[in-house]
Amino acid sequence: MAADEPLVLGIETSCDETGVGIVRGTTLLADAVASSVDTHARYGGVVPEIASRAHLEAMVPTIERALKEAGISARDLDGIAVTSGPGLAGALLVGVSAAKAYAYALNKPLYGVNHLASHICVDQLEHGPLPEPTMALLVSGGHSSLLLAPDITSDVRPLGATIDDAAGEAFDKIARVLNLGFPGGPVIDRLAKEGDPKAIAFPRGLTGPRDAPYDFSFSGLKTSVARWIEAKRAAGEEVPVRDVAASFQEAVVDVLTRKAVRACKDEGVDHLMIGGGVAANSRLRALAQERCERAGIRLRVPRPGLCTDNGAMVAALGAEMVARNRRPSDLELSADSSLPVTEPHVPGKHRHEHDHDHVHEISKDNLYS
């Protein structure tokens, strides 16, 4: 870690976790997270209004915790990065508003960055600079995407994506059918270890010779599993929960890894990065490693704590923006719930030289010493 590497704070509020991370270059200094998942669990899924309120309440304390953990003052920062999209509109707005306020008060450059590109860039904090191009498989509750990134700060190309349910969404829905609670991914992963992945032959969506080679579909799988469970219950038979979990999980990770390895081969890329919340799944990691080794592909997967939504990933991409002299965002930056992955960040039209009046100067002085 060099003292001249960019020191950046990142804010992530795209869904139900308030994440604040601080990095210097590719070194993680702080990763503070405040989650509202327990509140959403009673409703069986994320409630946008509750998530937004939770972000409002957690924002300042989480930023203060991150600064304390990193052992720095806010005035030491070289920039502030924030997820400007995609995500829940109200939740994103909280993070963007906070980032703009801090950037203005501290007179620091602001970088509105893409949530998906951030999930790719976070791997730099664990395994060093990303190869160029990078092949990335991103799997979460809202996204299942195959992306080719020649330059993570300016050039991210979608090769394929889910056409219906994302992988993480399918995990949550099947967990609900099995009465396993929310979120579904961790509990299905745990139960699957005690089940037989070959017990039930669930379908593999979009794997036919005429199907889109890199797109994903988990809606049919979800329906098939739900109907299988309903049929068992209707017949008065006990549902083998562990076998269902293992067979369902195997169907998901089989398709994800098969298509990712194919994309690497087709594009001539000798490595694969996997990110997003579902990348914490133990079977996905194991099968990806097995198939990548057979294909001569190097696998890069961040530790589970960096796979889920966090501020560290946003700070990592922000630091890369600073290091590569990318143009900062304007203070007119807005939240964009459908920001395309082809836009790794939202550059401003010009740099702002802030004209602070007396009131603004007082606010800035009172922010942090």
Side-chain angles (χ1 to χ4, degrees):
M1 180 175 65
D4 59 347
E5 290 182 308
L7 181 65
V8 175
L9 180 144
I11 298 174
E12 155 61 25
T13 62
S14 65
C15 192
D16 61 336
E17 292 180 317
T18 307
V20 178
I22 298 174
V23 305
R24 186 182 290 280
T26 59
T27 302
L28 178 61
L29 303 182
D31 183 19
V33 178
S35 177
S36 59
V37 66
D38 290 343
T39 305
H40 300 289
R42 74 181 73 170
Y43 302 102
V46 177
V47 181
E49 292 81 1
I50 292 177
S52 299
R53 173 58 61 180
H55 290 312
L56 279 171
E57 295 173 350
M59 182 58 64
V60 172
T62 308
I63 290 176
E64 291 177 342
R65 181 153 51 97
L67 290 168
K68 183 177 181 180
E69 182 181 336
I72 66 166
S73 163
R75 297 188 186 281
D76 298 328
L77 295 168
D78 296 311
I80 294 174
V82 62
T83 299
S84 57
L88 301 175
L92 289 168
L93 186 59
V94 176
V96 169
S97 298
K100 288 162 65 173
Y102 277 91
Y104 183 86
L106 296 166
N107 198 24
K108 304 292 182 180
L110 171 70
Y111 295 87
V113 302
N114 191 291
H115 180 78
L116 300 182
S118 297
H119 268 305
I120 300 174
C121 200
V122 74
D123 191 59
Q124 293 196 151
L125 302 181
E126 190 153 9
H127 299 121
L130 291 169
E132 293 183 340
T134 286
M135 180 68 72
L137 170 66
L138 297 187
V139 279
S140 68
H143 308 280
S144 296
S145 307
L146 266 172
L147 306 169
L148 184 66
D151 182 335
I152 193 59
T153 66
S154 63
D155 187 4
V156 179
R157 307 170 189 177
L159 301 181
T162 183
I163 63 172
D164 42 56
D165 290 359
E169 183 181 3
F171 271 91
D172 289 339
K173 289 180 177 178
I174 294 306
R176 190 178 304 131
V177 174
L178 290 171
N179 300 316
L180 298 177
F182 174 86
V187 65
I188 287 180
D189 189 10
R190 185 174 67 251
L191 292 173
K193 294 175 182 177
E194 303 172 5
D196 181 2
K198 298 181 181 179
I200 311 161
F202 289 132
R204 271 65 166 161
L206 291 185
T207 55
R210 297 184 179 180
D211 291 325
Y214 308 135
D215 283 343
F216 303 100
S217 173
F218 297 108
S219 180
L221 169 63
K222 175 200 66 181
T223 301
S224 177
V225 176
R227 287 178 176 172
W228 193 94
I229 294 170
E230 290 168 2
K232 281 288 185 182
R233 289 172 175 166
E237 300 177 23
E238 183 178 351
V239 176
V241 175
R242 289 168 176 77
D243 286 345
V244 171
S247 299
F248 160 72
Q249 178 176 268
E250 193 70 13
V252 173
V253 302
D254 178 24
V255 173
L256 289 172
T257 56
R258 190 188 313 182
K259 295 200 171 207
V261 170
R262 177 177 177 177
C264 288
K265 290 180 177 179
D266 290 349
E267 295 293 330
V269 178
D270 64 358
H271 64 275
L272 172 67
M273 182 269 166
I274 303 181
V278 181
N281 180 274
S282 63
R283 180 55 184 157
L284 174 59
R285 287 171 171 254
L287 187 57
Q289 186 66 53
E290 177 185 322
R291 287 181 166 172
C292 282
E293 286 180 357
R294 286 205 304 262
I297 296 169
R298 179 189 173 195
L299 180 65
R300 294 171 56 127
V301 189
R303 62 182 180 272
L306 292 180
C307 290
T308 53
D309 292 348
N310 58 80
M313 68 186 199
V314 179
L317 184 52
E320 197 66 22
M321 296 290 177
V322 175
R324 300 196 186 197
N325 295 314
R326 300 304 182 206
R327 192 166 69 246
S329 304
D330 287 333
L331 287 177
E332 287 78 12
L333 175 71
S334 62
D336 184 349
S337 61
S338 57
L339 183 68
V341 70
T342 50
E343 297 181 25
H345 93 297
V346 183
K349 296 178 181 178
H350 52 80
R351 288 181 178 269
H352 279 274
E353 296 297 334
H354 306 319
D355 290 327
H356 299 313
D357 60 24
H358 181 62
V359 175
H360 292 142
E361 289 294 343
I362 292 175
S363 299
K364 186 171 76 171
D365 289 339
N366 289 338
L367 187 61
Y368 288 108
S369 59

